[in-house]
Structures are given as structure tokens and as C-alpha cells.
Amino acid sequence: MDINCHHCGSLETEYKFHIKQHPLYQCPACQLAFLYPQPTDQQLNEIYNKNYFIGSQSGKEHLNRLKKETAQLYLDELLAYTSSSNLRLLEIGSGNGDFIIGAQKRGFDVTGIEVNDHAACAVNEKLGGEFVIQGTLDSIDLDALGKFDVCVLFDVIEHVRDLTRLMTQIRHILKEDSILFIVTPSLDSWSAKMLKSNWMEFKPEHLFYFNTQNLETFLIKSGFQNIATSPNYKILNFEYIHGH
């Protein structure tokens, strides 16, 4: 059976191994890896339960501290790039709210979108208002959102079924000369190369796996310019890694 690469269209994709019951394929031409067929909506909904986010369980507050420290690293990097926090910022996939809460404290005018209703409600309670919308870009009125100076997606794009549609939607809500800040697991990382099929990022809810080159190419094709890439840093311990 011929399986087209989602990125370059090649029919030479190769089966690699199964992630649980889901086959993983990779394109030799552009190196994009992806699940085919993808998990059903029902299967994904069962994964994205109220305890999905690491540290959300009772007694895991020390893991939450690690995530908050990582969010501060992202904020430092963003502010070093923009030199201003007097900006409208949209976080797609705001999760437990570590980044968006920190961004608000540093002066950003924040809005979040989060598919997990438990997480969205919890973050709104911490922020003291309806700053996080429960849903996806497909389920809300994009024009009503207005335009943003910054859009951030941390560990999100690997979960998205239709990446081209997502990027079209993001471009619609970004101002001219705005910033798109993405973090995603990379096939170029030392952990991916060392652990191979045992890489902790190989999970059934991760539908796509990028390397630096194919992600840059995808963003350029989506209309973005002045793309800068770098290795990512997170504050981790062994328990956090085991949680993946």
C-alpha cells in the first residue's frame, strides 16, 4: 500500500515500528515520521483526560515546579528576542498554564486556547478571569479573537492532525511582523538518536515527528520568514522523564 508523505508527497515512505498498536512510517526523502493510520478521536480523548499533564496528579507539586522553571526559560528566550512584553500573546495548548501565567506576570496581554476543559478551568481560576478558551482554533471564531503580536505553541504541533490548516489559521490571527514561537520534539535530538524506538516522545498522541530541516521547510511553505531554530532546554529530573 502506497502511503503519501504528509510533507513532501513522496510515495516511498517506510514502515519503522509500532507505537503501541499504531504503525509509524518515515519518509526517506524529507525524514518526516508520522502515524498511519492516526488514532481515532475516541482513542485520543481517552488519552487526554484530566490527569494527562505531568504533575497534575495530587502529590506531584515538585514536578510542577520543574515545568514552571522551564516556562521561565521560554519567557526569557522570548523577551530576549522581542525586548518588549507590552504585546498581545496567544498560547495554543496552554496546558497547566505555567507559561501563560508567567507571561501575564511579565506584562503580556494573554489569551490561551486549551482543548482539555479541566486544564482550561484550572488556569482561568489561577489567572482570575476567562483568559483561556476551552476548544481548538477550529471550534472558535478566529475573527473575534483579534490580532496577536506573539503566538506560542509548546509541545503542540506534534499532536495536530492537519498542520497546514493550523498554520493558515495562525497566520490569520497574527499581525504583520509578529512572532511564532514553537517547541516540538526533534528527531535531531541526542535523546532521539540514542534511544531510537525507545525514545520517550514516541507516543500514540504524537501524530508527527519533525527534524530541523523539514520543520523549517514546512514553515517557509506556510508563509513564515526569518526562521531561527535552536536546541531546546527543559528543567527535568528522572521522575519527570519517567513520566513520559
Side-chain angles (χ1 to χ4, degrees), residues 2 37 138 203:
D2 292 333
D138 283 324
K203 298 186 282 189

Side-chain angles (χ1 to χ4, degrees), residues 186-196 199-200 231-233 236 241:
S186 174
L187 294 170
D188 289 333
S189 66
W190 65 266
S191 56
K193 292 177 180 179
M194 180 179 73
L195 296 172
K196 301 184 185 300
W199 189 33
M200 57 279 204
N232 183 41
Y233 297 92
L236 307 173
I241 294 170

Side-chain angles (χ1 to χ4, degrees), residues 100-225:
I100 197 171
I101 292 169
Q104 186 189 61
K105 289 179 179 178
R106 295 217 197 174
F108 287 96
D109 177 7
V110 300
T111 300
I113 299 174
E114 171 55 46
V115 68
N116 186 300
D117 58 343
H118 298 280
C121 290
V123 176
N124 279 329
E125 185 174 346
K126 294 175 185 177
L127 290 171
E130 297 298 315
F131 292 91
V132 177
I133 304 166
Q134 192 277 321
T136 68
L137 287 180
D138 283 324
S139 65
I140 62 179
D141 183 352
L142 297 185
D143 292 327
L145 282 177
K147 299 290 185 179
F148 292 87
D149 304 286
V150 181
C151 178
V152 301
L153 302 96
F154 303 135
D155 300 309
V156 169
I157 65 169
E158 63 272 17
H159 296 258
V160 176
R161 292 196 190 278
D162 190 341
L163 293 167
T164 299
R165 177 174 174 79
L166 174 67
M167 291 302 152
T168 299
Q169 293 169 324
I170 290 173
R171 287 195 66 199
H172 180 77
I173 58 180
L174 282 176
K175 300 177 183 177
E176 293 294 327
D177 300 320
S178 55
I179 298 167
L180 175 63
F181 186 2
I182 295 173
V183 172
T184 190
S186 174
L187 294 170
D188 289 333
S189 66
W190 65 266
S191 56
K193 292 177 180 179
M194 180 179 73
L195 296 172
K196 301 184 185 300
S197 63
N198 293 314
W199 189 33
M200 57 279 204
E201 300 296 349
F202 284 134
K203 298 186 282 189
E205 67 268 33
H206 288 180
L207 309 180
F208 294 96
Y209 302 86
F210 300 90
N211 64 15
T212 301
Q213 184 174 351
N214 59 40
L215 182 55
E216 285 186 12
T217 302
F218 174 72
L219 290 171
I220 291 170
K221 287 182 177 179
S222 299
F224 294 94
Q225 301 175 343

